[in-house]
């Protein structure tokens, strides 16, 4: 699948659905005489090396020629200012029914005009690493932000000879234009004091304004690529996917879905003490075909937190660039990194695809299991959900905690429980589309659904070791699941110290509180943004049924009236 990058003259105009006011404003900016095209990742590296504020460490890049760099390339460190995370409140999605398109189009024209005296860099990359799904993306960004440009080309796949040839032979997606992203991190507007990320997903374009953090550019690009995938027969996945290559030629493919800090990268890259032969697709962004359940990675590299990787960690061998971390000098006079979030929260690094030994860009075998990663204190360490409607609903009400990867609006409590459907805050299309696609996986494609609580069960921390042991047992088919209480379609594994007591009033109140929180969330979707993310009634019905089943277990309904 390839997007449209050039047009027959007869197809240029208002009748072509690819064109719009905002997209045309953005794409036109790429052709100005103050724009320089950056052809290779090597060029971008040299620009970043010479960009003011860049720290050239004494850490050599591992096998740089496989990344498209010279053999003497070093790991580069660049730090932002106050902001070191994404800011969801700055996202504005232009929908076809919006009445304020003209207002944002005018704002965008002014933003573009104000870059006329700046030198601008234009780079292209491909999103999607298999001929079945490849999207060409363009980034335009001003001089002074060369590190963002370089990181973008490392995070996605730059067009080398191999990928030029692959893209040439990939299937053309009619009606889908290339992705165009205009960025000006220096932009300021009193109407948007914390910046603006403007998306018109139906037209595959975006403007990232007043945002220095690289994660805005990574997720902004993925936002548009996922939107294209959704319209063309794929399920969009913000999670990790790995394949266990078992004895007798058997394969077991499991996807883990969660926000940053929930454990998705940890579980994806877990080596299980080498007891399994494992292949990795990716730990952050992939898509699943609704037709045959095959999966495709969207990015070659990994954008990982550095919090859990001290300077002496062997995994740092695979670093390409680092953002928002410290630096110091070691005993040999070498400039090295200071990680572990000592300087600030959410230190990040782009790691080479070589970090994973058995990395693949496509799994031809169908996915077997999906795990929703949550941090809900009312849930035991693991649940198996056998009801397809409940499985899809629990994914749509995935409950977790915010992390340092995000810049929160004033007054938001980062420790409060929050729902992020399918762990994907980058969706631009109706939530029901994801709901129906995931439900189909569970109902018709024989995919099993699990929930892992990677936070606390009530006031007791669930350790990483418990979670990994549970994953091992599921993969090996040895997990001792049994029916949970009176619930139809839910099973648990009883783990000492983490066994939920459905006759304990305090616990039951907490459990009902979590269910009611989900019910209220789904109810609110009926009215929020004119109901664009409304879910079918069956989603609330299955949650209400859980409460009824709890009451039947307790036998004494009046004790629960306070919770209800």
């Amino acid at each position: 699948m390839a997007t449209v990058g050039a047009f027959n003259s007869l197809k240029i105009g208002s009748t072509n659905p690819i064109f719009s006011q905002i997209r045309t404003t953005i794409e036109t900016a790429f052709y100005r005489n103050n724009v320089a095209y950056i052809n290779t990742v090597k060029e971008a590296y040299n620009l970043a090396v010479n960009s003011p504020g860049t720290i050239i460490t004494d850490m050599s890049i591992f096998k740089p020629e496989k990344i498209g760099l010279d053999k003497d390339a070093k790991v580069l460190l660049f730090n932002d200012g106050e902001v070191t995370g994404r800011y969801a409140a700055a996202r504005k999605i232009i929908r076809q029914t919006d009445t304020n398109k003209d207002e944002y189009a005018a704002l965008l024209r002014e933003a573009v005009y104000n870059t006329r005296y700046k030198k601008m860099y234009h780079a292209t990359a491909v999103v999607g690493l298999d001929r079945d799904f490849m999207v060409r993306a363009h980034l335009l960004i001003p001089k002074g932000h060369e590190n963002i440009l370089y990181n973008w080309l490392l995070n996605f796949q730059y067009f080398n000879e191999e990928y030029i040839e692959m893209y040439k032979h990939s299937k053309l997606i009619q009606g889908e234009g290339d992705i165009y992203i205009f960025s000006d991190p220096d932009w300021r507007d009193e109407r948007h004091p914390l910046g603006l990320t403007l998306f018109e997903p139906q037209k595959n374009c975006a403007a990232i304004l007043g945002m220095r953090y690289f994660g805005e550019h990574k997720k902004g690009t993925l936002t548009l690529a996922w939107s294209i995938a959704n319209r063309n027969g794929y399920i969009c996945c913000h999670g990790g996917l790995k394949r266990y290559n078992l004895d007798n030629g058997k394969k077991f493919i499991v996807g883990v879905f969660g926000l940053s800090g929930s454990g998705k990268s940890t579980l994806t890259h877990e080596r299980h003490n080498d007891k399994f032969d494992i292949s990795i697709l990716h730990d952050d962004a992939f898509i699943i075909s609704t037709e045959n359940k095959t999966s495709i990675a969207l990015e070659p590299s990994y954008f990982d937190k550095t919090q859990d990787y001290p300077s002496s960690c062997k995994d740092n061998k695979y670093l390409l660039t680092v953002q928002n971390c410290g630096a110091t000098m070691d005993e040999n006079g070498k400039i090295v990194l200071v990680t572990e979030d000592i300087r600030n929260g959410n230190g990040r690094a782009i790691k080479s695809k070589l970090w994973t030994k058995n990395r693949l860009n496509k799994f031809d075998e169908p996915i077997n299991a999906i795990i929703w990663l949550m941090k809900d204190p009312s849930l035991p360490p693991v649940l198996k959900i056998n009801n397809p409607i409940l499985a899809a609903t629990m994914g749509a009400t995935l409950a977790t905690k915010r992390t340092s990867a995000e810049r929160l609006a004033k007054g938001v409590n980062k420790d409060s429980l929050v729902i992020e459907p399918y762990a994907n805050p980058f969706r631009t299309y109706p939530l029901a589309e994801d709901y129906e696609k995931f439900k189909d996986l569970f109902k018709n494609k024989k995919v099993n659904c699990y929930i892992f609580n990677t936070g606390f069960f009530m006031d007791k921390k669930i350790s990483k070791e418990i979670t990994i042991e549970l994953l091992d047992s599921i993969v090996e088919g040895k997990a001792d699941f049994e029916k949970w209480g009176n619930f139809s379609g839910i099973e648990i594994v009883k783990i000492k110290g983490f066994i939920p007591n459905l006759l304990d009033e305090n616990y039951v109140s907490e459990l009902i509180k979590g269910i009611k929180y989900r019910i209220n969330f789904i109810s609110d979707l009926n009215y929020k943004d004119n109901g664009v993310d409304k879910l079918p009634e069956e989603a609330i019905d299955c949650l209400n049924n859980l409460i009824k089943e709890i009451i039947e277990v307790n036998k004494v309904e009046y004790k629960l009236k306070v919770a209800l």
Side-chain angles (χ1 to χ4, degrees):
M1 278 187 182
T3 43
V4 178
F7 301 89
N8 182 295
S9 60
L10 297 177
K11 294 184 179 181
I12 298 174
S14 59
T15 58
N16 188 330
I18 291 177
F19 292 99
S20 72
Q21 186 178 23
I22 287 176
R23 179 184 172 90
T24 301
T25 300
I26 290 173
E27 183 183 354
T28 300
F30 282 73
Y31 306 119
R32 297 176 299 173
N33 62 3
N34 60 328
V35 175
Y37 185 73
I38 307 305
N39 291 287
T40 66
V41 70
K42 191 182 300 185
E43 287 180 76
Y45 171 84
N46 290 329
L47 288 172
V49 162
N50 292 293
S51 185
T54 300
I55 296 170
I56 307 166
T57 72
D58 288 306
M59 301 168 62
S60 296
I61 289 179
F62 178 67
K63 295 186 178 180
E65 68 282 357
K66 291 187 176 294
I67 313 298
L69 298 170
D70 289 330
K71 62 181 180 180
D72 60 348
K74 302 293 185 184
V75 174
L76 303 185
L77 166 63
F78 189 85
N79 290 325
D80 302 316
E82 177 185 1
V83 179
T84 59
R86 289 180 285 101
Y87 186 51
R91 289 169 66 89
K92 169 60 183 175
I93 299 171
I94 299 293
R95 304 186 190 278
Q96 292 179 336
T97 56
D98 280 353
T99 58
N100 56 354
K101 286 183 184 179
D102 289 345
E103 174 189 337
Y104 282 102
L107 180 150
L108 181 57
R109 290 196 302 272
E110 190 69 14
V112 170
Y113 176 84
N114 287 332
T115 60
R116 62 178 292 221
Y117 295 113
K118 298 179 179 182
K119 183 173 184 177
M120 306 289 288
Y121 298 117
H122 172 192
T124 59
V126 63
V127 187
L129 305 179
D130 185 84
R131 290 181 183 180
D132 284 349
F133 186 85
M134 302 183 80
V135 172
R136 182 166 46 203
H138 304 257
L139 174 67
L140 188 66
I141 194 166
K143 180 179 180 181
H145 299 283
E146 291 82 1
N147 283 276
I148 294 176
L149 176 81
Y150 176 48
N151 287 331
W152 190 78
L153 282 172
L154 289 175
N155 185 86
F156 298 104
Q157 177 59 54
Y158 73 97
F159 275 98
N160 57 19
E161 290 184 9
E162 176 188 359
Y163 276 87
I164 290 173
E165 194 65 21
M166 279 181 62
Y167 191 79
K168 193 183 299 182
H169 291 92
S170 62
K171 181 181 176 182
L172 183 67
I173 315 173
Q174 293 295 340
E176 298 284 2
D178 287 0
I179 288 173
Y180 279 92
I181 298 175
F182 172 84
S183 173
D184 183 5
D186 300 320
W187 179 85
R188 296 292 178 268
D189 190 302
E190 62 182 14
R191 293 168 292 180
H192 302 276
L194 298 178
L196 173 66
T197 48
L198 180 68
F199 295 90
E200 191 175 23
Q202 292 289 337
K203 308 301 179 181
N204 302 338
C205 63
I208 303 174
L209 305 173
M211 303 289 198
R212 301 175 192 148
Y213 178 56
F214 168 68
E216 299 283 5
H217 296 75
K218 168 188 163 70
K219 293 303 191 199
T221 307
L222 286 173
T223 293
L224 296 174
W226 271 322
S227 184
I228 294 170
N230 177 66
R231 292 192 293 268
N232 289 275
Y234 288 92
I235 305 171
C236 306
C237 303
H238 182 219
L241 196 70
K242 64 195 301 187
R243 186 182 71 194
Y244 296 81
N245 308 305
L246 305 174
D247 295 337
N248 302 319
K250 293 182 179 179
K251 313 285 186 185
F252 188 87
I253 297 177
V254 58
V256 290
F257 292 70
L259 290 181
S260 297
S262 65
K264 66 179 169 63
S265 292
T266 300
L267 291 176
T268 302
H269 294 289
E270 171 60 37
R271 297 185 175 96
H272 306 270
N273 294 318
D274 294 324
K275 77 185 281 191
F276 300 112
D277 174 28
I278 294 172
S279 301
I280 303 292
L281 188 84
H282 204 262
D283 68 355
D284 187 61
F286 63 97
I287 55 177
I288 302 172
S289 169
T290 57
E291 181 182 354
N292 54 27
K293 293 195 299 178
T294 59
S295 307
I296 297 172
L298 298 184
E299 310 163 293
S301 306
Y302 305 100
F303 187 51
D304 207 11
K305 284 175 171 285
T306 58
Q307 180 179 2
D308 298 325
Y309 296 93
S311 297
S312 59
C313 181
K314 292 180 180 179
D315 286 343
N316 291 339
K317 168 184 178 181
Y318 300 100
L319 297 180
L320 300 176
T321 64
V322 183
Q323 304 85 41
N324 299 317
C325 286
T328 190
M329 191 171 288
D330 68 10
E331 69 274 17
N332 299 313
K334 304 292 187 181
I335 297 175
V336 296
L337 298 172
V338 178
T339 55
E340 301 176 276
D341 281 2
I342 293 174
R343 178 184 183 269
N344 50 260
N346 199 40
R348 289 277 178 165
I350 294 181
K351 289 181 178 175
S352 166
K353 61 184 177 183
L354 303 175
W355 181 35
T356 45
K357 183 171 64 173
N358 297 320
R359 169 65 192 270
L360 297 174
N361 293 329
K362 183 182 182 183
F363 286 165
D364 289 313
E365 304 84 2
I367 186 171
N368 300 103
I370 283 175
I371 300 173
W372 307 130
L373 301 178
M374 303 201 191
K375 291 191 174 184
D376 181 341
S378 71
L379 300 180
V382 63
L383 300 171
K384 185 179 181 185
I385 311 297
N386 298 320
N387 180 330
I389 294 173
L390 181 59
T393 299
M394 292 302 285
T397 58
L398 190 147
T400 188
K401 302 283 183 73
R402 295 297 187 190
T403 73
S404 59
E406 300 171 83
R407 183 187 190 186
L408 302 179
K410 188 176 181 180
V412 174
N413 182 0
K414 70 180 179 65
D415 295 319
S416 63
L417 201 64
V418 64
I419 288 176
E420 195 61 75
Y422 305 109
N424 191 350
F426 315 106
R427 181 183 306 98
T428 60
Y429 47 86
L431 177 59
E433 295 183 21
D434 273 351
Y435 174 86
E436 294 294 347
K437 288 178 180 179
F438 279 110
K439 187 177 76 170
D440 180 66
L441 284 183
F442 301 130
K443 183 178 180 179
N444 300 316
K445 303 296 197 304
K446 298 180 180 179
V447 176
N448 289 323
C449 177
Y450 303 90
I451 296 172
F452 280 7
N453 181 2
T454 58
F456 285 79
F457 175 63
M458 301 302 281
D459 59 353
K460 191 171 184 180
K461 173 63 180 167
I462 301 170
S463 68
K464 169 185 170 184
E465 289 71 26
I466 288 175
T467 302
I468 292 172
E469 186 177 336
L470 286 167
L471 180 56
D472 283 2
S473 65
I474 289 171
V475 171
E476 294 176 311
K478 297 178 180 179
D480 189 16
F481 281 102
E482 58 183 80
K483 191 175 187 294
W484 185 22
N486 197 46
F487 293 120
S488 56
I490 304 180
E491 299 176 80
I492 64 170
V493 174
K494 289 186 176 179
I495 301 169
K496 187 177 180 179
F498 298 93
I499 300 174
N501 183 0
L502 291 174
L503 297 177
D504 179 87
E505 187 173 344
N506 290 331
Y507 172 69
V508 170
S509 294
E510 187 69 26
L511 181 59
I512 290 179
K513 179 183 174 182
I515 297 171
K516 293 291 285 184
Y517 183 54
R518 290 173 168 85
I519 290 172
N520 292 336
F521 174 82
I522 295 175
S523 296
D524 290 344
L525 294 177
N526 292 332
Y527 310 101
K528 184 180 179 183
D529 296 330
N530 296 316
V532 67
D533 287 324
K534 179 180 178 180
L535 291 178
E537 285 295 324
E538 65 185 20
I540 283 184
D541 290 344
C542 74
L543 294 175
N544 279 321
N545 191 58
L546 294 181
I547 295 179
K548 292 178 183 177
E549 291 172 328
I550 293 172
I551 293 173
E552 289 174 11
V553 168
N554 276 264
K555 305 295 184 183
V556 186
E557 184 174 349
Y558 73 88
K559 288 185 177 182
L560 301 174
K561 285 185 177 179
V562 173
L564 290 169

